[in-house]
Structure formats: structure tokens, C-alpha cells
Amino acid sequence: MPLISSFFGILIKMYFRDDDKHHTPHFHAKFGEFEASIDFEGNVLAGEFPPNKLKLVAAWAEIHKEELNALWDVMQTSDEYFKIKGLD
């Protein structure tokens, strides 16, 4: 599962061919001991995440929604990926 972005101590990763469990485009966020699967709208699908950090992740996802969708499509059919800029 490659690291696709990081900002403010939050790591964002995406699995290759990962549509079996949640059946919706999503990524995985980790901050300290917290981990969650999050859709591109910023909703937690599974796991737990601190509310203040989830707001940052949701804002990042909104800013990069087109890139996330493109990356999701690429990663469902190949082992290629690209990184997405974090928040400044």
C-alpha cells in the first residue's frame, strides 16, 4: 500500500485493487494510533480518527478529489501510482 500523501503527521495511503471491502473509492489515513478508511467525501467508512484531524483530511480530499478519482482508477487496474500534494 503506497504512501500517496502526508501532511501534519497524517499519512495517506491507497491499496492497489481495493474495491472488495467497501465497494466505494477510498483511501486509508493514519495518525498516531488512529487509522481509518475514508471515502473521497471525507466520511469514515471504517476505523476511528480524531475529529480535528478528520477535518484536515476531508479538506485535503475535497481539494484533490479529481486527482483521487484518477489515482483510484489507475490503481484498480495496474501497479502504478502517483503522489498527491499534502496540505501546507
Side-chain angles (χ1 to χ4, degrees), residues 29-86:
K30 180 172 175 45
F31 179 77
E33 72 272 12
F34 297 96
E35 292 187 52
S37 298
I38 301 173
D39 69 15
F40 296 172
E41 302 297 321
N43 301 305
V44 174
L45 302 173
E48 294 183 19
F49 220 69
N52 60 333
K53 299 300 181 187
L54 182 58
K55 287 180 184 178
L56 292 173
V57 171
W60 173 84
E62 180 63 32
I63 292 166
H64 297 286
K65 192 177 291 190
E66 287 182 26
E67 291 168 278
L68 284 166
N69 279 305
L71 181 58
W72 179 263
D73 290 343
V74 167
M75 291 182 72
Q76 296 315 299
T77 59
S78 75
D79 291 339
E80 307 228 355
Y81 72 98
F82 55 86
K83 294 201 175 211
I84 299 174
K85 185 178 189 307

